[in-house]
């Protein structure tokens, strides 16, 4: 996990959903977990890029060389464990780079005063509901030192939860096998919930 945004399956988890208005959260991790994801429209599911030997990256590289349109999108995903005061749950918060850049700025402000980001109760104000009109504003509501050990049992190892998919399994999907045959039953998140957190390239 890293605050360097240029770098870049586990138990069931709750994902943070920000409704319009204010949601109060507390960050529980030291830094965000960053990964690259490929979207497979056929399955309405995402693949965590394996990196080296990724067959989708190979296809994209060839398409770029041929000046062809990409068949598969690529998106950078940022995630952290947070406590959501509204739901009273520990959740995975996954957002795009703009949101996390604002959070990084907030971190710098908090640390200037000798505090940790985890000590801040953060107000996230959401405006808009669509892909083109949604914006977020982040503000510190209060600083209250907290014993993070109380959340330890609920924290999810994001590097394990978002582990890269095996290149061989990705190739099986590209060769026409079903998601169920390769990975088992798909998750329950809707396309809209996933799309809202995707930064496409």
């Amino acid at each position: 996990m890293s605050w360097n945004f240029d770098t870049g399956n586990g138990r069931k988890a709750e994902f943070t959903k920000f409704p319009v208005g204010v949601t109060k959260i507390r960050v529980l991790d030291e830094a965000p977990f960053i990964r690259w994801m490929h979207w497979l429209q056929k399955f309405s599911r995402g693949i965590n890029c394996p990196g080296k030997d990724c067959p989708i990256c190979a296809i994209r590289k060839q398409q770029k060389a041929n000046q062809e349109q990409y068949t598969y999108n690529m998106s950078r995903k940022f995630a952290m464990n947070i406590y959501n005061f509204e739901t009273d749950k520990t959740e995975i918060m996954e957002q795009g780079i703009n949101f996390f850049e604002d959070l990084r700025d907030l971190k710098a402000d908090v640390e200037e005063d000798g505090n940790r980001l985890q000590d801040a109760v953060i107000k996230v104000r959401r405006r808009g509901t669509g892909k083109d009109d949604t914006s977020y504003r982040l503000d510190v509501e209060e600083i209250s030192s907290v014993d993070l050990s109380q959340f330890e049992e609920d924290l999810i190892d994001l590097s394990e939860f978002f582990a890269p998919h095996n290149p061989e399994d990705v190739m099986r999907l590209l060769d026409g096998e079903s998601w169920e045959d390769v990975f088992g039953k798909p998750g329950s998140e809707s396309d809209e919930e996933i799309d809202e957190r995707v930064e496409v390239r």
Side-chain angles (χ1 to χ4, degrees):
M1 297 203 291
S2 171
W3 282 101
N4 178 4
F5 298 155
D6 295 324
T7 61
N9 264 312
R11 72 190 212 229
K12 179 165 173 54
E14 298 281 345
F15 280 84
T16 304
K17 298 174 180 66
F18 291 115
V20 172
V22 173
T23 302
K24 295 178 185 177
I25 65 169
R26 184 187 298 277
V27 169
L28 302 177
D29 291 329
E30 291 285 339
F33 178 78
I34 305 169
R35 76 189 196 280
W36 287 95
M37 188 193 80
H38 299 294
W39 184 253
L40 275 62
Q41 189 63 42
K42 176 182 177 181
F43 303 105
S44 294
R45 303 299 302 163
I47 290 289
N48 295 325
C49 180
K52 186 174 183 284
D53 300 325
C54 174
I56 294 178
C57 284
I59 291 171
R60 285 173 55 90
K61 184 177 180 180
Q62 188 62 48
Q63 288 173 332
K64 181 178 181 180
N66 295 337
Q67 298 183 336
E68 298 171 347
Q69 185 173 354
Y70 288 127
T71 307
Y72 303 100
N73 285 334
M74 189 169 188
S75 61
R76 187 163 49 161
K77 311 279 289 214
F78 301 79
M80 294 184 94
N81 284 287
I82 61 106
Y83 173 73
N84 187 332
F85 287 91
E86 315 307 322
T87 62
D88 192 26
K89 291 180 179 178
T90 300
E91 302 169 346
I92 295 176
M93 179 182 72
E94 192 171 42
Q95 290 289 330
I97 188 168
N98 290 336
F99 185 101
F100 271 91
E101 284 180 335
D102 289 346
L103 187 60
R104 183 171 58 185
D105 290 343
L106 214 61
K107 173 180 179 286
D109 293 342
V110 167
E111 289 178 347
E112 273 186 12
D113 296 327
N115 299 300
R116 305 174 302 168
L117 182 61
Q118 292 94 326
D119 295 328
V121 176
I122 300 170
K123 289 196 312 184
V124 179
R125 182 181 298 278
R126 175 177 178 165
R127 294 185 177 90
T129 57
K131 290 182 182 179
D132 298 325
D133 69 345
T134 295
S135 64
Y136 297 94
R137 174 176 170 159
L138 280 60
D139 295 291
V140 174
E141 177 170 87
E142 64 176 274
I143 298 291
S144 57
S145 184
V146 65
D147 181 5
L148 295 177
S149 65
Q150 64 181 295
F151 301 104
E152 279 181 4
E153 288 187 9
D154 297 322
L155 294 181
I156 289 182
D157 182 342
L158 300 180
S159 62
E160 180 181 324
F161 187 83
F162 293 121
H165 285 91
N166 186 300
E168 288 76 19
D169 290 336
V170 177
M171 198 67 235
R172 288 172 61 191
L173 291 176
L174 298 182
D175 284 342
E177 290 191 51
S178 72
W179 186 281
E180 291 80 3
D181 286 344
V182 178
F183 297 121
K185 186 178 178 182
S188 60
E189 281 195 285
S190 71
D191 294 358
E192 289 78 14
E193 290 170 332
I194 294 172
D195 285 348
E196 188 175 272
R197 302 192 304 269
V198 169
E199 175 203 355
V200 176
R201 288 237 174 143

